[in-house]
Structure formats: structure tokens, C-alpha cells
Amino acid sequence: FGKRARSHFGSSFRDQLGCSTSAAVMGEEIGATVEVKLFGKWAYDEVSVSDLSLVDYIACKPEHAVFLPHSAGRWQKKRFRKSLCPIVERLVCSLMMHGRNTGKKVKAVRIVMHTMEIVHLLTDKNPIQVLVDAVKNGAPREDSTRIGKGGTVRRQAVDVSPLRRVNQALFFICTGARNSAFRNIKSIAECLADEIMNCAKESSNSFAIKKKDEIERVAKANR
């Protein structure tokens, strides 16, 4: 290329760089004013965790706010790191089970989005808050473990850690929704919405509440 061509390409590159810089600055200004809402609809500001022991393990504060529960974060690489994963994304990951659903995260995100819409329509509340209440209510606080002693095995009641409570609540909620949606005219989103709402109000119709009561009853007998 000649000198004129080089200067032309250089000026056009500088123009592009200037445009991208101004776009980045404009994006930062917009980002400062735009509030991050789940699916662009539900805010994280008024969401609260009423159980003091679960505050650090249910990530629903504004600093954990995401538009889409699909961060592609490496939450399993370090112990306890998954407690920082947004609670809605943890629900999405729990849905991707039973082999044929493994890895279909976009499908799971779509199901959760429909679920949130249904919960909002039926309860007229922030669906993130309803989910947080369901996770708080849906896991046992006391469980029993096997202790072997002198060739005999007996069960001993133990307290459940906060992180395991969150893990079990999400597992029970998704399992209950999956079981009720199987060979049923209702969609998985409708069944998941029913399970979350029943669990949030501690209804005995909820699969998670039934499992919780059963586990706590067995633990009480083994104290």
C-alpha cells in the first residue's frame, strides 16, 4: 500500500475506535441508570430472606441480580461457591435432570420464565420473593444419619447445614414438579408454579413440604 492508503486505513481505524469508545461510554451511562430485573420484569430490591441462617446461602440481593438466569459461571469449581449463584439460576440448573434434559439450559430458562409469569398472575407478588419463601420452607431442618458401632447400625438425629437445606429444597421442588407433570395434561411450567406457590405457603399439597415433614418426623424419632 502507498502512504495515502495507509493514512486512509489508519484514519478509518481511528474513527472506528472513537465510535466504539463513545459507545462504551454511552453503555456505561445507560447501565448506571437501568435497573437489573429478572427477564426485564421483576426487581431484586424488595426481595428479602426471613430466615437468618439462609441469608448468606440464597443469592437474591441486588448484587446478584441478573437479567437472565444463564450466567455460564463455574460455580462447582470451589467449595461453597455455588451459594453465590443467583437462586433463580440454581432452580434452572435443578430442572436439567433425568438424562434426556441434561444440558438443555435454554429450555429450562424458558420453563422458569413461564413459571414466573404464572406465579405473578396468581399471587400478584414478586415471583422471586415467592421462590425464596418456597426454598426457605421446603427443606428439613433436622435429618438422621447412619452411625455404625460394634457391627450394629443405628440412626442418629443431626442438624442440617444451611447450604444443604437450600440444595434439598430446590431438589424437592423440581422433583415434585417433574413427577406431577409426567403423563399429565398440565405443562411443566404450570406444575412448577403450583409446587412453588404451595411450598411458599406451607401447604400439605406440596411434594417438598411432605418430604420435609417425613424427614423431620423420622429424625425426631431417632433423637
Side-chain angles (χ1 to χ4, degrees):
F1 292 122
K3 190 182 288 183
R4 188 182 299 173
R6 279 202 299 272
S7 65
H8 168 71
F9 282 120
S11 63
S12 64
F13 176 71
R14 280 195 295 274
D15 292 343
Q16 288 175 1
L17 188 64
C19 290
S20 63
T21 308
S22 61
V25 170
M26 195 163 70
E28 285 176 10
E29 289 172 0
I30 292 170
T33 55
V34 169
E35 183 186 3
V36 179
K37 295 182 177 181
L38 181 67
F39 301 118
K41 294 180 180 180
W42 297 293
Y44 291 81
D45 294 339
E46 62 268 17
V47 179
S48 62
V49 184
S50 55
D51 191 329
L52 201 61
S53 64
L54 298 178
V55 169
D56 294 333
Y57 295 93
I58 297 179
C60 59
K61 294 284 183 287
E63 58 262 28
H64 303 117
V66 286
F67 285 110
L68 265 184
H70 195 314
S71 66
R74 301 190 298 172
W75 304 106
Q76 298 289 345
K77 288 291 178 187
K78 200 170 168 70
R79 195 180 180 197
F80 297 117
R81 187 179 286 171
K82 63 182 177 182
S83 63
L84 302 174
C85 180
I87 192 66
V88 183
E89 185 169 355
R90 294 204 61 193
L91 177 71
V92 167
C93 293
S94 295
L95 274 179
M96 294 192 297
M97 286 192 185
H98 280 227
R100 60 182 183 174
N101 301 318
T102 306
K104 298 180 183 176
K105 193 161 185 179
V106 174
K107 187 176 191 175
V109 168
R110 183 175 52 79
I111 290 166
V112 169
M113 184 171 69
H114 292 166
T115 299
M116 293 293 183
E117 292 278 6
I118 295 166
V119 169
H120 178 66
L121 283 171
L122 293 179
T123 61
D124 206 30
K125 294 179 184 173
N126 187 338
I128 308 172
Q129 182 65 62
V130 179
L131 174 62
V132 168
D133 292 342
V135 170
K136 175 181 71 74
N137 296 333
R141 293 154 294 185
E142 190 180 25
D143 203 347
S144 51
T145 185
R146 285 162 54 90
I147 291 184
K149 194 172 182 181
T152 60
V153 176
R154 69 184 188 88
R155 297 184 76 81
Q156 172 66 43
V158 290
D159 294 333
V160 182
S161 71
L163 185 61
R164 180 162 169 80
R165 282 179 62 192
V166 175
N167 296 347
Q168 276 200 303
L170 289 169
F171 174 74
F172 288 156
I173 288 169
C174 290
T175 305
R178 197 179 294 113
N179 291 348
S180 60
F182 189 63
R183 290 186 179 172
N184 191 351
I185 196 167
K186 288 171 79 172
S187 69
I188 179 70
E190 291 170 324
C191 293
L192 184 59
D194 285 343
E195 181 65 33
I196 289 172
M197 287 186 293
N198 286 333
C199 193
K201 60 190 179 193
E202 294 188 272
S203 166
S204 59
N205 295 331
S206 165
F207 176 86
I209 297 294
K210 283 179 193 166
K211 291 289 284 184
K212 170 193 173 182
D213 291 343
E214 180 191 338
I215 291 169
E216 287 186 345
R217 190 172 63 250
V218 171
K220 189 174 181 180
N222 291 314
R223 280 178 185 167

